[in-house]
């Protein structure tokens, strides 16, 4: 059969409230042109994130009822621990309330001024936690990963030569850790090959540098390995994941992604001394080590979710549905980061809106227009999220200006995606009308969450003047 169906049926539904275009214009203005500040009920299709937004299975809900809420020694913790140990073979497993809590604990211990943390591409919270500790985060993405329209199987790989050069240049003693993000979220949800993980681990071992995995989307990455990397076709996703984790000294994970949970996360590692230090901080900031800021029922939902995520029919449907949206856009030549990623499609705003300069934030402008056009909410992954200022206050732009359309797991059907494609196509046909944005308020860290914007009226004025001159 050609059609890959959603391998589940729907037992419980939530309404979507529809809005008119003029209502959305007002709502976006009230949200200061930052879709993060919209109320979720005013969004028709919410592709802001795949984090904590997925639909849980009937088995997860059943497991929730078994949650053991004991403060210490909860049975739910032991189940959570055994599922993660089966996956990672790591002896020390600490629950946390979400991924960034693991990052905060880890980098407050191993970071600090003068230190470097290297990655294929750090996610924004990971980078922020590194920088807050005083350390510097460095992305060493492979050259293919930097070309949005290039089709290559593993665009999330780390540049191995650049890694060795960096270590030799700064000295191995100054590198706290190498952390590989699988899949590479900020780099387009692109996978990392097993060969690259093996080689990076080898380089790290040679210099005595710990190698960790940011494992938020490990199962999606393993599906790409199975389908794209020679030698893995006949192995189960679980076996591939076990090999992937076998190269790591430790990992952090947000269970809000590839564990189908609405909240939660963990950190796991081999090194006892590091685990002891992490546990000390965990007790102060998250909670006792058998719950780490979570309820027993959350631990159960995560354990069941981790068992479900490695099912191949689910992953085939998941990866296919994102590729399907890409195919709809290909028919119109709409630019997006290729190939489609494991959890999201990333529109290339630089190519979509070539008339908007980077300091007028084309990806934020595109994000706003998607909302106005059809109530679709995506997220800017460009110079609002990753831009910096030079000492003169001039923007140092991000490498790419992308709008990420992230798919919550098991949430939307094919007709929802057809609708999203229609909205994008319609917008593409009227793209020359879209103007840039100017920031009116921002914070020093993670400004994209709360920044406020206003439309850049200079272009509108120029157009008006041109009109008058005619
Ligand atoms: N690492 C990666 C690769 C992530 O994508 C995220 C979260 C985190 C760490 C932090 O985890 O949210 O549980 O604290 N990404 C979400 C997103 C927020 O929308 O991509 P968290």
């Amino acid at each position: 059969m050609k059609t890959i169906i959603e391998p589940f049926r729907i037992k419980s539904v939530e309404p979507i409230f529809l809005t008119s275009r003029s209502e959305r214009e007002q709502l976006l203005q009230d949200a200061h042109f930052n879709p993060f500040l919209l109320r979720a009920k005013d969004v028709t299709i919410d592709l802001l994130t795949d984090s904590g937004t997925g639909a849980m299975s009937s088995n997860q809900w059943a497991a929730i009822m078994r949650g053991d809420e004991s403060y210490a020694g909860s049975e739910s913790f032991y189940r959570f621990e055994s599922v993660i140990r089966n996956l990672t073979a790591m002896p020390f497993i600490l629950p946390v309330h979400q991924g960034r809590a693991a990052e905060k604990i880890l980098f407050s211990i191993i970071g600090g001024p003068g230190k470097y943390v290297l990655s294929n591409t750090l996610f924004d919270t990971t980078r922020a936690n590194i920088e807050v500790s005083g350390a510097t985060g460095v992305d060493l993405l492979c050259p293919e990963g930097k070309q949005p329209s290039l089709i290559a199987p593993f665009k999330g790989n780390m540049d191995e030569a650049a890694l060795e050069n960096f270590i030799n240049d700064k000295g191995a003693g100054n590198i706290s850790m190498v952390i590989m993000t699988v899949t590479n979220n900020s780099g387009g949800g692109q996978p990392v090959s097993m060969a690259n993980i093996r080689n990076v681990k080898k380089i790290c071992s040679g210099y005595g540098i710990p190698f960790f995995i940011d494992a938020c989307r490990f199962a999606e990455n393993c599906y790409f390995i199975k389908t794209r990397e020679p030698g893995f076709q006949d192995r189960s996703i679980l076996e591939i994941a076990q090999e992937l984790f076998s190269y790591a000294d430790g990992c952090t994970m947000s269970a809000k992604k590839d564990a189908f949970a609405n909240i939660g996360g963990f950190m796991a590692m081999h090194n006892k001394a590091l685990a002891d230090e992490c546990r000390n901080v965990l007790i102060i900031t998250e909670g006792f080590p058998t719950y780490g800021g979570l309820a027993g029922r959350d631990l159960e939902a995560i354990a069941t979710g981790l068992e479900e995520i490695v099912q191949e029919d689910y992953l085939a449907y998941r990866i296919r549905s994102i590729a399907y949206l890409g195919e709809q856009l290909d028919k119109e030549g709409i630019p997006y980061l290729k190939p489609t990623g494991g959890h999201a499609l990333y529109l290339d705003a630089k190519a979509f809106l070539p008339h908007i300069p980077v300091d007028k934030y084309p990806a934020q402008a595109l994000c706003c227009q998607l909302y106005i056009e059809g109530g679709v909410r995506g997220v800017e992954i460009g110079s609002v999220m990753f831009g910096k200022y030079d000492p003169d206050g001039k923007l140092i732009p991000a490498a790419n200006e992308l709008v990420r359309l992230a798919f919550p797991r098991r949430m939307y059907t094919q007709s929802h995606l057809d609708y999203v494609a229609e909205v994008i196509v319609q917008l593409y046909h009227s793209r020359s009308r879209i103007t840039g944005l100017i920031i009116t308020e921002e914070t020093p860290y993670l400004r994209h969450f709360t920044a406020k914007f206003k439309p850049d009226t200079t272009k509108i004025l120029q157009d008006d003047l041109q009109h008058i001159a005619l």
Side-chain angles (χ1 to χ4, degrees):
M1 228 41 83
K2 222 167 95 241
T3 304
I4 296 174
I5 61 166
E6 289 88 355
F8 48 82
R9 48 188 191 176
I10 297 164
K11 188 172 218 157
S12 174
V13 296
E14 266 184 298
I16 289 176
F17 299 105
L18 301 174
T19 47
S20 69
R21 188 188 179 94
S22 59
E23 282 169 338
R24 290 194 293 272
E25 279 170 351
Q26 186 59 50
L27 288 162
L28 189 67
Q29 199 172 329
D30 296 345
H32 305 278
F33 298 90
N34 185 348
F36 272 112
L37 305 180
L38 289 165
R39 291 177 76 139
K41 74 168 178 46
D42 297 327
V43 177
T44 308
I45 305 285
D46 205 348
L47 307 181
L48 181 78
T49 180
D50 63 325
S51 181
T53 50
M56 282 205 285
S57 66
S58 49
N59 275 333
Q60 281 180 294
W61 285 111
I64 278 172
M65 289 307 292
R66 286 196 303 270
D68 174 354
E69 304 301 343
S70 305
Y71 189 97
S74 151
E75 269 314 296
S76 300
F77 171 74
Y78 293 111
R79 179 165 173 248
F80 168 91
E81 188 187 45
S82 85
V83 172
I84 297 167
R85 192 163 290 145
N86 180 39
L87 199 58
T88 64
M90 293 179 197
F92 304 108
I93 294 162
L94 307 177
V96 291
H97 82 272
Q98 65 182 87
R100 68 199 70 182
E103 294 162 1
K104 169 82 182 134
I105 292 171
L106 188 62
F107 297 118
S108 68
I109 294 167
I110 64 150
K115 298 283 185 191
Y116 294 92
V117 177
L118 315 183
S119 181
N120 45 349
T121 312
L122 295 162
F123 183 64
D124 59 354
T125 60
T126 325
R127 175 176 291 281
N129 276 304
I130 292 165
E131 288 177 358
V132 163
S133 83
T136 306
V138 181
D139 295 341
L140 300 171
L141 186 62
C142 66
E144 307 92 274
K146 295 176 188 159
Q147 300 172 58
S149 58
L150 179 86
I151 298 194
F154 291 106
K155 289 172 77 174
N157 280 355
M158 202 164 178
D159 184 333
E160 294 165 23
L163 173 64
E164 284 228 69
N165 289 342
F166 194 95
I167 298 171
N168 287 324
D169 186 33
K170 302 290 181 195
N174 295 318
I175 318 280
S176 302
M177 170 172 291
V178 172
I179 182 160
M180 186 79 95
T181 314
V182 303
T183 57
N184 185 13
N185 183 9
S186 308
Q190 300 295 316
V192 180
S193 71
M194 193 72 89
N196 188 245
I197 288 172
R198 216 181 277 134
N199 292 344
V200 168
K201 164 66 181 170
K202 207 164 152 200
I203 295 169
C204 289
S205 299
Y207 291 95
I209 298 168
F211 174 59
F212 268 52
I213 290 178
D214 176 341
C216 293
R217 300 176 180 87
F218 74 94
E220 289 165 6
N221 199 94
C222 290
Y223 182 80
F224 283 121
I225 289 176
K226 181 172 173 113
T227 51
R228 293 184 184 173
E229 192 165 352
F232 290 94
Q233 279 66 25
D234 298 328
R235 309 231 337 243
S236 72
I237 299 293
L238 178 62
E239 286 167 342
I240 297 171
Q242 286 167 333
E243 177 174 343
L244 185 142
F245 283 112
S246 76
Y247 299 118
D249 298 304
C251 65
T252 57
M253 163 124 186
S254 165
K256 300 171 76 174
K257 283 82 170 175
D258 271 359
F260 289 124
N262 298 129
I263 195 71
F266 62 85
M267 52 202 307
M269 62 203 78
H270 286 285
N271 183 320
K272 182 175 183 308
L274 179 61
D276 287 344
E277 276 193 85
C278 290
R279 199 177 297 106
N280 288 339
V281 182
L282 180 90
I283 292 171
I284 299 166
T285 60
E286 292 284 293
F288 189 76
T290 60
Y291 75 85
L294 295 170
R297 55 180 171 270
D298 299 324
L299 298 168
E300 290 282 351
I302 295 167
T304 303
L306 286 171
E307 287 170 348
E308 290 177 357
I309 201 84
V310 292
Q311 289 168 9
E312 206 174 317
D313 55 356
Y314 159 72
L315 288 165
Y317 134 79
R318 167 90 173 151
I319 304 300
R320 176 70 197 125
S321 56
I322 298 160
Y324 171 80
L325 179 60
E327 285 165 14
Q328 309 311 305
L329 305 190
D330 284 339
K331 290 179 195 158
E332 301 283 334
I334 296 174
Y336 63 89
L337 200 152
K338 290 186 180 157
T340 44
H343 67 298
L345 180 144
Y346 295 63
L347 293 170
D348 182 352
K350 255 191 215 168
F352 201 113
L353 301 173
H355 58 285
I356 301 183
V358 286
D359 64 351
K360 296 295 181 299
Y361 304 108
Q364 185 74 13
L366 181 54
C367 220
C368 288
Q369 291 302 319
L370 279 170
Y371 177 70
I372 289 175
E373 192 71 35
V376 175
R377 176 159 71 168
V379 70
E380 196 260 16
I381 302 214
S383 293
V384 177
M385 192 180 270
F386 289 120
K388 296 227 152 96
Y389 293 113
D390 72 10
D392 300 328
K394 197 167 167 284
L395 179 78
I396 307 168
N400 291 310
E401 302 295 333
L402 305 171
V403 173
R404 186 188 71 175
L405 303 175
F407 291 37
R409 292 171 181 77
R410 304 190 287 212
M411 251 259 274
Y412 292 120
T413 63
Q414 189 167 340
S415 72
H416 289 120
L417 298 187
D418 285 331
Y419 171 81
V420 172
E422 275 171 31
V423 170
I424 299 169
V425 169
Q426 206 156 306
L427 198 56
Y428 191 62
H429 289 155
S430 57
R431 62 193 182 281
S432 60
R433 282 192 297 106
I434 302 173
T435 56
L437 293 165
I438 293 169
I439 294 183
T440 57
E441 248 185 77
E442 60 182 304
T443 53
Y445 290 106
L446 301 174
R447 64 176 177 171
H448 53 286
F449 288 129
T450 52
K452 295 181 178 170
F453 300 83
K454 64 175 187 187
D456 170 26
T457 46
T458 41
K459 175 152 189 322
I460 299 168
L461 284 175
Q462 273 164 9
D463 287 353
D464 284 351
L465 288 174
Q466 218 168 10
H467 184 70
I468 293 163
L470 287 171

